[in-house]
Amino acid sequence: MGEFKVHRVRFFDYMPSAISKMAFNFLSERLAVARADGAVEIFKFTDNYFQEKVIPGRDGRAIEGMCWVGQRLFSAGLNGEITEYDLENLRPKYSMDAYGGPIWSISSNSQGTLLAVGCEDGTVKMFEVLEEKIQFQRNLDRQKGRIISLSWHPSGTKIAAGMMDMIRIFDAETGRATHRLLVDRGLGMSKGREVVVWSVIFLSDNTVVSGDSAGKVQMWDSITGTLRKTHLVTKWDVLALSVSQDESSLMAGTSEGTVVQMQFLQSSVEQQERQWVRTRTFKNHSHDVRALVHTDCAVVSGGMDTHLVVLPLLDQVEKSSKEAKLRKITFPHRSLVRCARKAGLLLFQFPDHLELWRLGESEGQGKHGDCLPVKRNPEKLLQLTRKGEDHICCSAVSPCGGWLVYATVSAVRLYRLQYDNNNVSISRVSKLPKELRTVHQLCFSSDSSRLFASSTHSSVVVVALSNPEVKHLHTLKCKSGSKQPLHLLVPSDDGKWLATANADCEIHVYNLHKMKLHCTVPVYSSCPTAIAIHPSTCNLISVHADQQMFEFSLQQKEYTEWSRRLHKEGLHSLWLDRDTPVTRVAFNPENPAHIILHDTFMFCIVDQSLPLPDAQTKFYNQMTLRSLPAAERMRHSHAFKICKYFQHLMTVELLEDHSLVVVERPLMDIMSKLPAPVRQKKFAT
Amino acid sequence: MAALYEGYTLCAFVPQQNLSNSGIQGVEIERDSDHVLVTDSSRSVILYKVSDQKPLGSWTVKQGQSLTCSAVFNFQTSEYVAVSDNKVIRIWKEDDPLLDKAFKATVTSDIYRVLSIPSWEPVVLFQSGAVRLLDSLLSAPQQPIEDVLSQEESIRWSTCIAAEKQQQLVIFTTEQKGEHFLYLQGLNPNSLQRYRLEREEPGLSPLSFSACYRNRHIFLTYLYPNGRVYQSVTSVRAQGGDDGAQSLPVPRSLLLVLPVGEGLLEAASALVLDEAHVAVVGVPHPSAGAGRDFLCIWNTNFQTLQAGKEMAGRIYGQLWSFSNKLLIPHGKTLSVIPFECPKSSLASALGKLKQAKSKESISSTFVPSWNSILHGDKAQPLRTAETRVTRTTRNKSQSTTSPTIDQVLELIKTAPVEEVQEEVERFLSRSDIQGLQPSVGRIASTLVSRSLDDPAFYSSHTLTQLLNTQCLCHSVCPDLVLLALERKDYFLCQLCLQFFPDIPEAVTCVCLKAFISIPDVDAEKASLEPGSVSFMETVILKERGVVSLQNGFSPTSVEDFSDGMSGSKSRTEVDETTFNQPGLKCPVGSHKAALLNEILQTAYSDTFLLPHLKDLSSQHAILFLQYLHFLYVKCSQDHLLQVHGFRSPSLSQIMDWVCLLLDAHFTVLVMTPEAKGLLLSLHRFVKSQVKLVSELGKIEGSLQELDKMKTKRDIGQYSIEVIELL
């Protein structure tokens, strides 16, 4: 009953960018991750590590430092600028040159009143954090050599600065350098090379912890300026340090891809004095660990190998709970692939260009597991390079394939595509309505006559597309007054409805005929990761970051019977245990009871006509069913038909000809494009 | 054995006045090996179709002009090329009637010869040693020709060879003040290598040269008037450098020493036919006096004469060979003699010789074995040679007076057994191993002929000693095996079978017959090699001994079940059931069995053995088959026997003989009641083997399917698949 021809696509060369810095906001439990291409991602840890916001990168913005001040996020980089981000409009709010050359680090005092940045020219510059901006206050004593790392004493009176071959302690009030701590160079080969203090941490007991390029983690007494203890952690560099809030546990990330834990423990029961003892080593990365965050119950690490790893510390969490599982986040929680369902086209979004592909064709029929002969190979129709320095934040192709649009934080560009046999002609629509300026999401109506664009304050700009002219029709505004950006924007197939979801977890449904808000779905605590409106029943399906699923009738404005039953009986535990969010919901026009969902590791058809699985049911039962005779299958089948044959899915889409498009990005392909990791001595090599 | 067939006359010619030269200047191959161009020594070129013995065309230059080298066929353009008066190149087609109207080009220097080989462009070799491709020469005929050779150096012989598919090589030899040089001129890219041939006795210069190309090496074979045929091997790859003045000496090896009779050879020629055969003309036949009008084929590996033919009339020392025909001018005719040089039966039996067990015994002999010739493994004999040399040097000091080979030979002809024994012993202890081989051969053959003539004379000890030097082979003293059989010296027979790599199948069969018909009582008396006898004793002992338990598992219990599942009898089960047959015991005594084992281990070729095997009487055939069956069952049961280090026949050797015997005597065996049980049991065995093989085939098939499934998993960038969700 569910037989599909599947276009298995592996030519989307998506390459995630390396993680360069991270900052964790302990108040809101959000993690800001800076990537090498300048993009900043916000992960909401309380909501199943959902990637809530993405601020696109920009050429030349190499972020070297990032910090939260309250709910404000600042970054500084090698372009010498300090940038504050507008998290509601997903763009930099302003940038300010520190006039000290490239900036290597940024750190705020615990009070959130001052920002210190360490510059290439050897100065530590203090900025005052004001309401809407920051203001330069003064320089601390200028040093010879660049300031690589900075850390404030929790009291805010002292600053430790890591430099080449040394650490300086400054008095934050007078700006005087009080101590100079000389760091040993490495032994042997690296003896002639300067040692770089990649990371420092100032603890409240006046201990300064440093991690350096000679592989040492050292504990210094900042009062006397003496070295207390040295831990040789690696042969390579210690790139990142992070300490838990209670200062009892310290993590060090190395070039080998390991994270080493040190704990502040009593060396024996009688002794009261505590010492830093190296305890555990974790290896979850193949390359440099460049960024590290020690949360209360987990250590979050990221680096060159582009994975974000959340490693729960098992002494802090309950073993059987969901938090006790290691998470590896590799793919974005939104789709970078758009599909023109009618035209059979795929649009791949890269930070700096778009690729438009036409799918191939096959001939003949086959049974399950067959590989059909490819009659026509897929073909790259278009590669569109973006203009300007800002990276592409969203893009869309119309279902007919005739329109293409993409947006950066500064501009929206709309193109008309014409197909003449094998030639594609592209023409830019030059005059766009001025309402299309700040855009977070873009999509076309199913008849390709409208373009929807999400704008500030969760509003949606509706634009009519006709050949000579592109006209602004209306701006849909929600009444809740939410300032959060929309991350989902889904029109219904019949053109009557438009559903939106924002970071405040609100789902609004607009009636496009009347151009007004139809209803708001009751707000659920978890952020929706995928929504869709059923073409025939006009029910809204929403799937959330905590893996819950709802069906909301737009006519009755209430949850449907099936949805209530689903919640009464509860989803299967294996469904809830999945650690990647569902990023796409689609429907099968041939069978209205079918809902097609996918996450990174599976795709699933939910058959609403079948019984829901209870806790005792075998959840992944495709193999079992296949071995049963057809008559008996019915008895054993349940609503969730899960296919794990395809892995590392970027998207799953049902084309108009009822064939599925599956875009895979095998991890091996990504790994093979990474630079070589540091050489490690292995046995017998 | 190579053979020369009945020849026929291609054409007649008029020999030149001085009689030293035939009237034929050259014979060259035309479009195929059935067409030849014959250039006579004066003015005409005639095209013959050889199989029809018929001229197809004839061209003549004007009176007063003469052709100075043989005309050749340009395979690329299908034209003929000849040179008249040393400097004029003439080119014409088959349908041009008159040579005088054909294309002419005059060059600046004297041409030695035009060389042409199939699928390559003809090459012009000048007397100065320079080489030009015909096309490039014709494009500028007046181009200056450089002098490659020095003043008094002149070309004696030349040929052209295609070195694989990459390069054309012109090879020529020159003479300068009694010294001979070999030139290898490579074309495209040009390269010139010059070698100096070693001097033979002063005043002797080679009568003929012949070159061939194998494995990236040029093999140059040349004959001296004293009957010695040498071979020099040079590498084509070796970049000899550009200056031809620096000529390296090229090493030579003595290939053959031909009997010359009285005086030196005058008009003789040696032509290499293949790796092992040389055709020689103008050399006396060893068994036919001093007349030199013979065409012979010699095997160079075994130094044996393979075929000979007397040619009527004068021999001019000219010889050509095209595919399987020799062209030889003699008297007033040019004759065509078809020949054949098949690999001898030993060669085709090589597959059987390759078995590790037989290989050991073969490679330790000093007779050039097929293995060492073809595969070039020389390591083993060398090692044994060293040990022998040290021993002989030690002995050298002891024996101050040592007999020469001729003295020994004389002695053998007359002296009594004891004296011969002593002398040969002394001779062997003295001789160093390098020179030993020819003399041992001569001593052995003299001894054998004396023994054959004189029934009272027989020295088993001496012959054994000679055999143990491992320098003997059957070809050297063909009568030795038969002599040993006649004198019932079974030990010597055993040694011969062990050491001789080249016993003909007929002789093998004679031995087999003799061994089978020996009464067991006689056989027990013979003292044989202890190893072989003890092997058989082990085998027979096992038969009598208690059935051993393998891992505590008694094979008899298998039999009880095997009937129930007779469909799936495995090979071992069948063996075990036959093993438990009450009647199965060794049909011959251990000594006789040891002798038969030697037969099983000799090299042979099926086709040659089969007719001789048919001569076996049915009684003997059954006995032999019974023995083979017994041996097979034993050997297949107890793998220890194979491992033990005994010289024992391998399973496949036994099986081959069973098959041969069945082939030879099948109808007789079927009719003989005594053989019925034996045949049935063999049949059962074959059936189970067929079953096993078919099961293995099935497994192979399913494994291949699995393999296919695996490759399907490996998908590329894009594929269209079908999935079904249930």
Side-chain angles (χ1 to χ4, degrees):
Chain A
M1 68 186 218
E3 195 178 75
F4 296 99
K5 198 153 99 179
V6 182
H7 296 266
R8 188 176 193 176
V9 172
R10 288 185 163 197
F11 47 76
F12 179 27
D13 293 331
Y14 167 69
M15 193 61 206
S17 190
I19 292 172
S20 59
K21 232 33 194 205
M22 293 195 296
F24 191 68
N25 190 326
F26 283 93
L27 285 175
S28 63
E29 293 207 37
R30 281 183 169 87
L31 178 77
V33 174
R35 302 244 176 205
D37 64 357
V40 174
E41 294 163 7
I42 310 287
F43 290 85
K44 193 174 172 187
F45 272 38
T46 49
D47 195 7
N48 215 359
Y49 310 98
F50 181 59
Q51 188 188 45
E52 192 182 44
K53 291 169 186 172
V54 177
I55 300 165
R58 183 186 162 94
D59 287 353
R61 190 203 289 157
I63 297 175
E64 281 295 328
M66 196 157 60
C67 72
W68 291 92
V69 178
Q71 295 305 314
R72 295 164 71 180
L73 181 65
F74 293 91
S75 82
L78 298 183
N79 58 0
E81 289 177 346
I82 305 169
T83 304
E84 186 184 350
Y85 293 94
D86 179 349
L87 295 175
E88 282 157 12
N89 288 312
L90 306 183
R91 56 192 298 170
K93 199 185 247 173
Y94 57 85
S95 287
M96 193 170 152
D97 201 321
Y99 298 107
I103 300 173
W104 288 95
S105 61
I106 182 166
S107 178
S108 75
N109 61 355
S110 54
Q111 295 76 24
T113 53
L114 287 173
L115 274 179
V117 297
C119 302
E120 175 78 14
D121 68 355
T123 53
V124 176
K125 292 173 194 283
M126 304 285 261
F127 287 82
E128 200 176 346
V129 181
L130 300 177
E131 197 67 9
E132 279 298 311
K133 57 174 183 169
I134 53 170
Q135 196 174 44
F136 176 71
Q137 200 193 43
R138 66 197 165 105
N139 283 334
L140 303 188
D141 277 358
R142 182 165 174 173
Q143 303 298 315
K144 260 189 184 171
R146 62 180 68 128
I147 309 286
I148 300 289
S149 48
L150 282 176
S151 180
W152 286 81
H153 187 266
S155 67
T157 52
K158 283 186 274 187
I159 299 178
M163 301 177 63
M164 314 297 284
D165 285 338
M166 66 168 124
I167 300 165
R168 282 277 181 180
I169 312 287
F170 293 95
D171 187 315
E173 267 127 46
T174 61
R176 298 268 167 254
T178 55
H179 282 99
R180 198 174 73 140
L181 316 174
L182 288 179
V183 180
D184 277 350
R185 291 184 177 183
L187 296 168
M189 284 271 287
S190 50
K191 197 154 189 180
R193 221 178 292 152
E194 283 183 308
V195 63
V196 186
V197 181
W198 285 117
S199 184
V200 285
I201 289 180
F202 217 140
L203 300 179
S204 49
D205 64 356
N206 285 316
T207 303
V208 172
V209 186
S210 70
D212 59 45
S213 62
K216 303 189 297 286
V217 174
Q218 290 178 311
M219 318 296 173
W220 308 83
D221 187 331
S222 70
I223 311 238
T224 56
T226 50
L227 177 65
R228 277 212 192 121
K229 184 139 180 110
T230 300
H231 294 270
L232 189 60
V233 164
T234 172
K235 279 185 183 165
W236 305 90
D237 295 25
V238 174
L239 291 171
L241 289 175
S242 180
V243 74
S244 64
Q245 276 188 301
D246 61 1
E247 298 187 353
S248 67
S249 164
L250 180 82
M251 293 287 174
T254 71
S255 284
E256 287 171 317
T258 53
V259 173
V260 179
Q261 187 183 22
M262 270 159 275
Q263 281 173 291
F264 201 43
L265 300 172
Q266 293 165 351
S267 52
S268 62
V269 185
E270 306 91 62
Q271 271 183 313
Q272 282 304 303
E273 202 189 335
R274 298 201 294 176
Q275 279 187 331
W276 285 102
V277 182
R278 180 175 168 173
T279 50
R280 284 177 285 188
T281 303
F282 310 102
K283 174 138 172 100
N284 292 301
H285 294 275
S286 57
H287 290 68
D288 296 5
V289 175
R290 296 204 46 197
L292 208 55
V293 161
H294 198 319
T295 68
D296 289 339
C297 58
V299 51
V300 187
S301 55
M304 284 297 288
D305 64 359
T306 76
H307 305 295
L308 180 69
V309 176
V310 182
L311 178 81
L313 295 170
L314 292 180
D315 48 356
Q316 308 284 345
V317 297
E318 211 177 311
K319 284 222 167 58
S320 57
S321 72
K322 211 173 170 185
E323 282 74 44
K325 276 193 189 152
L326 182 130
R327 291 262 186 153
K328 213 169 201 178
I329 302 167
T330 308
F331 295 108
H333 289 165
R334 60 201 61 206
S335 184
L336 296 177
V337 182
R338 291 301 182 110
C339 179
R341 301 206 323 269
K342 289 177 183 149
L345 303 176
L346 288 179
L347 179 72
F348 297 144
Q349 178 187 322
F350 296 87
D352 55 352
H353 71 277
L354 298 172
E355 284 180 11
L356 188 67
W357 288 74
R358 181 189 283 145
L359 287 168
E361 280 174 18
S362 68
E363 49 193 1
Q365 297 293 313
K367 56 180 196 304
H368 175 78
D370 281 359
C371 213
L372 299 179
V374 176
K375 190 172 75 182
R376 195 183 50 154
N377 278 320
E379 184 186 3
K380 192 202 261 189
L381 297 177
L382 192 71
Q383 173 158 340
L384 189 65
T385 310
R386 62 153 164 82
K387 297 279 183 295
E389 290 183 315
D390 290 311
H391 293 177
I392 295 169
C393 75
C394 59
S395 60
V397 62
S398 68
C400 67
W403 298 91
L404 183 70
V405 65
Y406 77 85
T408 64
V409 292
S410 51
V412 177
R413 282 169 188 261
L414 178 67
Y415 296 88
R416 182 97 180 95
L417 298 177
Q418 259 145 352
Y419 304 91
D420 175 24
N421 289 326
N422 286 325
N423 298 324
V424 183
S425 61
I426 180 164
S427 55
R428 185 180 166 205
V429 179
S430 53
K431 272 179 84 180
L432 289 181
K434 64 179 188 316
E435 285 82 2
L436 283 178
R437 226 175 24 228
T438 306
V439 160
H440 313 129
Q441 281 298 314
L442 287 161
C443 77
F444 289 94
S445 65
S446 63
D447 61 357
S448 307
S449 66
R450 299 274 188 278
L451 170 67
F452 307 108
S454 75
S455 187
T456 49
H457 302 299
S458 296
S459 62
V460 179
V461 178
V462 183
V463 175
L465 303 171
S466 50
N467 214 352
E469 203 184 8
V470 174
K471 207 168 65 189
H472 173 237
L473 283 183
H474 193 78
T475 302
L476 300 167
K477 288 194 172 116
C478 70
K479 295 192 182 110
S480 68
S482 169
K483 290 182 173 179
Q484 292 298 328
L486 293 175
H487 64 279
L488 295 170
L489 197 59
V490 179
S492 67
D493 265 5
D494 57 10
K496 189 179 175 190
W497 310 106
L498 178 72
T500 66
N502 67 12
D504 275 343
C505 308
E506 296 169 345
I507 301 175
H508 300 289
V509 181
Y510 298 92
N511 185 326
L512 291 173
H513 293 174
K514 297 181 185 159
M515 284 296 179
K516 59 183 252 196
L517 184 70
H518 175 70
C519 64
T520 300
V521 179
V523 175
Y524 181 66
S525 59
S526 178
C527 198
T529 60
I531 55 174
I533 299 167
H534 198 286
S536 50
T537 62
C538 289
N539 292 337
L540 177 93
I541 303 284
S542 65
V543 189
H544 296 259
D546 63 356
Q547 311 295 0
Q548 290 294 342
M549 188 164 34
F550 296 92
E551 190 183 34
F552 185 80
S553 165
L554 297 184
Q555 259 106 26
Q556 272 85 47
K557 299 194 184 176
E558 60 176 22
Y559 288 119
T560 62
E561 186 53 37
W562 185 78
S563 181
R564 286 165 204 272
R565 205 169 78 233
L566 187 68
H567 282 270
K568 209 162 80 194
E569 294 185 17
L571 282 154
H572 198 277
S573 61
L574 288 175
W575 175 269
L576 296 174
D577 277 352
R578 292 176 307 112
D579 63 359
T580 51
V582 168
T583 49
R584 173 106 197 126
V585 178
F587 301 97
N588 185 356
E590 281 188 329
N591 191 337
H594 282 183
I595 309 165
I596 301 171
L597 309 167
H598 87 88
D599 67 9
T600 307
F601 299 105
M602 61 105 206
F603 88 88
C604 167
I605 294 179
V606 178
D607 190 336
Q608 290 178 303
S609 64
L610 286 175
L612 294 166
D614 58 30
Q616 277 76 47
T617 319
K618 192 172 176 349
F619 190 60
Y620 299 112
N621 63 348
Q622 285 294 310
M623 286 290 251
T624 325
L625 288 181
R626 210 167 289 288
S627 65
L628 289 174
E632 270 193 59
R633 278 180 199 161
M634 214 40 213
R635 231 156 35 82
H636 288 86
S637 48
H638 59 73
F640 289 80
K641 302 170 183 309
I642 292 174
C643 172
K644 291 196 146 211
Y645 180 60
F646 305 106
Q647 292 283 288
H648 306 117
L649 295 172
M650 299 297 288
T651 200
V652 173
E653 188 80 57
L654 192 67
L655 293 182
E656 212 181 35
D657 65 353
H658 304 306
S659 56
L660 274 176
V661 179
V662 167
V663 180
E664 287 178 294
R665 180 61 179 159
L667 274 188
M668 277 308 292
D669 294 3
I670 293 178
M671 298 303 271
S672 65
K673 286 198 171 174
L674 292 174
V678 293
R679 211 186 80 82
Q680 280 176 46
K681 174 91 181 153
K682 292 223 173 86
F683 178 71
T685 54
Chain B
M1 289 282 269
L4 290 168
Y5 297 108
E6 200 53 50
Y8 47 87
T9 305
L10 186 64
C11 64
F13 57 86
V14 186
Q16 279 186 336
Q17 295 305 311
N18 54 12
L19 281 179
S20 66
N21 222 335
S22 76
I24 293 179
Q25 188 159 143
V27 180
E28 296 283 343
I29 189 166
E30 212 242 12
R31 65 202 84 160
D32 56 33
S33 60
D34 201 25
H35 290 78
V36 292
L37 272 182
V38 178
T39 310
D40 75 14
S41 42
S42 52
R43 296 190 295 139
S44 58
V45 178
I46 308 169
L47 170 65
Y48 286 100
K49 185 165 167 58
V50 178
S51 54
D52 293 354
Q53 307 175 42
K54 193 170 82 177
L56 298 179
S58 162
W59 299 271
T60 313
V61 291
K62 260 190 221 160
Q63 193 95 40
Q65 297 176 339
S66 64
L67 292 171
T68 50
C69 80
S70 54
V72 295
F73 182 66
N74 183 342
F75 291 90
Q76 289 187 328
T77 58
S78 301
E79 289 168 334
Y80 302 106
V81 184
V83 177
S84 63
D85 299 324
N86 288 326
K87 279 187 179 154
V88 186
I89 299 175
R90 289 162 181 263
I91 294 175
W92 73 98
K93 282 207 185 279
E94 193 181 349
D95 38 359
D96 291 339
L98 287 172
L99 201 48
D100 285 320
K101 290 187 180 164
F103 172 84
K104 272 181 247 179
T106 307
V107 294
T108 53
S109 179
D110 283 358
I111 293 172
Y112 177 76
R113 217 179 138 185
V114 183
L115 298 157
S116 174
I117 47 173
S119 70
W120 289 91
E121 202 184 315
V123 179
V124 179
L125 173 64
F126 289 90
Q127 284 181 5
S128 63
V131 171
R132 292 284 186 280
L133 284 172
L134 183 64
D135 267 2
S136 70
L137 181 64
L138 291 181
S139 64
Q142 290 299 314
Q143 62 184 274
I145 302 299
E146 73 278 8
D147 280 337
V148 175
L149 306 182
S150 52
Q151 203 72 95
E152 289 164 37
E153 202 173 358
S154 58
I155 301 179
R156 287 282 170 260
W157 167 86
S158 67
T159 191
C160 184
I161 275 175
E164 259 146 40
K165 292 223 162 67
Q166 304 113 31
Q167 218 190 7
Q168 200 177 3
L169 270 176
V170 173
I171 304 168
F172 56 94
T173 58
T174 60
E175 185 179 4
Q176 184 187 24
K177 298 175 188 159
E179 288 266 25
H180 288 264
F181 298 96
L182 167 68
Y183 286 80
L184 301 183
Q185 166 81 57
L187 292 165
N188 287 339
N190 277 10
S191 64
L192 183 64
Q193 297 165 49
R194 184 181 194 243
Y195 298 99
R196 187 161 44 78
L197 298 182
E198 270 180 64
R199 260 175 195 264
E200 189 60 13
E201 295 164 38
L204 294 186
S205 45
L207 285 174
S208 82
F209 292 92
S210 169
C212 63
Y213 175 80
R214 282 198 304 269
N215 302 331
R216 289 196 278 282
H217 285 87
I218 301 283
F219 292 78
L220 183 74
T221 310
Y222 40 103
L223 168 70
Y224 279 97
N226 57 7
R228 287 173 176 256
V229 180
Y230 290 96
Q231 189 168 59
S232 296
V233 184
T234 57
S235 165
V236 178
R237 286 284 167 92
Q239 286 300 310
D242 295 341
D243 52 338
Q246 226 188 22
S247 53
L248 304 160
V250 53
R252 66 181 185 183
S253 56
L254 184 59
L255 208 58
L256 273 177
V257 183
L258 298 172
V260 281
E262 295 136 27
L264 294 172
L265 300 174
E266 280 156 12
S269 176
L271 185 67
V272 174
L273 299 178
D274 65 17
E275 288 167 37
H277 294 92
V278 178
V280 179
V281 74
V283 177
H285 194 284
S287 57
R292 285 173 179 174
D293 322 334
F294 283 93
L295 170 65
C296 299
I297 296 182
W298 286 79
N299 183 314
T300 54
N301 288 338
F302 292 104
Q303 314 235 337
T304 48
L305 178 65
Q306 303 260 306
K309 199 177 182 67
E310 188 167 6
M311 306 309 296
R314 196 187 159 75
I315 294 285
Y316 302 94
Q318 282 178 313
L319 189 62
W320 295 274
S321 146
F322 300 111
S323 75
N324 58 345
K325 296 183 199 72
L326 286 168
L327 273 77
I328 172 169
H330 59 103
K332 290 183 180 180
T333 54
L334 176 65
S335 282
V336 179
I337 297 168
F339 70 94
E340 198 181 33
C341 295
K343 298 244 166 102
S344 90
S345 61
L346 257 179
S348 52
L350 259 181
K352 288 176 181 139
L353 263 182
K354 269 187 183 171
Q355 287 166 6
K357 281 195 176 252
S358 344
K359 199 175 173 182
E360 284 166 28
S361 60
I362 291 295
S363 57
S364 59
T365 63
F366 290 107
V367 177
S369 85
W370 287 92
N371 279 337
S372 58
I373 290 165
L374 295 179
H375 307 291
D377 57 16
K378 282 172 182 149
Q380 256 186 325
L382 264 179
R383 205 189 58 222
T384 16
E386 276 168 29
T387 56
R388 278 201 66 94
V389 165
T390 51
R391 181 147 42 102
T392 46
T393 44
R394 193 174 59 236
N395 289 349
K396 219 179 243 174
S397 54
Q398 293 170 355
S399 57
T400 41
T401 55
S402 52
T404 65
I405 175 70
D406 294 320
Q407 285 170 333
V408 174
L409 289 180
E410 279 308 311
L411 199 76
I412 289 171
K413 280 176 191 163
T414 50
V417 177
E418 292 75 24
E419 206 175 316
V420 169
Q421 215 163 302
E422 202 177 307
E423 277 302 299
V424 171
E425 212 163 311
R426 271 176 62 200
F427 178 76
L428 286 180
S429 67
R430 174 202 62 93
S431 283
D432 76 295
I433 202 70
Q434 296 302 327
L436 201 58
Q437 189 178 337
S439 25
V440 165
R442 285 169 74 185
I443 293 172
S445 54
T446 325
L447 263 176
V448 169
S449 56
R450 163 105 194 261
S451 305
L452 284 174
D453 295 341
D454 178 2
F457 180 90
Y458 184 71
S459 169
S460 173
H461 178 72
T462 312
L463 286 170
T464 312
Q465 230 178 3
L466 288 172
L467 267 176
N468 276 329
T469 61
Q470 304 193 0
C471 292
L472 281 180
C473 64
H474 185 263
S475 321
V476 170
C477 45
D479 298 325
L480 179 59
V481 182
L482 296 176
L483 174 75
L485 273 182
E486 192 184 306
R487 301 290 167 102
K488 295 203 168 34
D489 187 350
Y490 297 121
F491 180 51
L492 197 65
C493 278
Q494 195 183 18
L495 285 185
C496 288
L497 287 168
Q498 261 182 37
F499 292 139
F500 288 179
D502 57 343
I503 297 184
E505 284 79 356
V507 177
T508 312
C509 256
V510 169
C511 289
L512 174 63
K513 256 186 268 181
F515 291 163
I516 287 189
S517 50
I518 317 170
D520 267 332
V521 193
D522 286 5
E524 299 301 324
K525 283 183 209 153
S527 67
L528 296 178
E529 197 201 47
S532 62
V533 178
S534 67
F535 165 72
M536 271 326 289
E537 271 163 0
T538 334
V539 171
I540 295 168
L541 207 71
K542 286 256 160 156
E543 162 207 4
R544 295 203 193 104
V546 203
V547 177
S548 61
L549 293 184
Q550 289 184 343
N551 298 334
F553 170 77
S554 163
T556 36
S557 57
V558 176
E559 198 194 11
D560 304 335
F561 299 110
S562 59
D563 284 337
M565 39 182 213
S566 55
S568 60
K569 268 186 191 176
S570 75
R571 168 175 155 175
T572 45
E573 281 173 52
V574 169
D575 287 344
E576 269 145 17
T577 50
T578 46
F579 168 75
N580 287 305
Q581 282 171 1
L584 191 76
K585 64 170 204 268
C586 188
V588 294
S590 59
H591 278 66
K592 195 159 157 180
L595 286 172
L596 290 175
N597 285 353
E598 290 303 337
I599 300 259
L600 299 186
Q601 289 167 79
T602 52
Y604 63 89
S605 154
D606 300 2
T607 37
F608 291 94
L609 188 63
L610 210 55
H612 300 293
L613 213 54
K614 282 185 175 157
D615 298 343
L616 227 58
S617 74
S618 65
Q619 286 310 311
H620 284 160
I622 292 172
L623 183 65
F624 191 35
L625 193 61
Q626 271 170 349
Y627 172 67
L628 286 173
H629 181 227
F630 164 81
L631 198 62
Y632 185 82
V633 169
K634 283 292 162 196
C635 291
S636 62
Q637 249 169 27
D638 198 344
H639 302 286
L640 271 181
L641 290 177
Q642 303 282 323
V643 189
H644 240 288
F646 289 127
R647 202 179 116 83
S648 63
S650 71
L651 273 179
S652 58
Q653 276 172 333
I654 303 170
M655 215 56 223
D656 286 340
W657 273 90
V658 169
C659 296
L660 274 173
L661 202 61
L662 286 174
D663 278 350
H665 290 274
F666 190 68
T667 43
V668 181
L669 287 172
V670 165
M671 303 300 287
T672 321
E674 301 98 82
K676 199 179 166 194
L678 194 58
L679 288 182
L680 276 177
S681 113
L682 284 172
H683 181 236
R684 263 210 311 275
F685 169 69
V686 171
K687 235 162 86 175
S688 73
Q689 290 280 289
V690 169
K691 193 126 204 162
L692 177 71
V693 168
S694 79
E695 295 299 322
L696 285 175
K698 279 182 206 162
I699 293 173
E700 190 187 17
S702 17
L703 287 176
Q704 268 170 0
E705 276 309 304
L706 279 176
D707 229 26
K708 270 184 212 157
M709 279 165 77
K710 232 182 199 167
T711 51
K712 208 175 149 189
R713 291 263 169 260
D714 183 39
I715 63 155
Q717 293 269 289
Y718 180 72
S719 61
I720 300 177
E721 294 174 22
V722 176
I723 63 158
E724 188 188 12
L725 289 175
L726 295 171

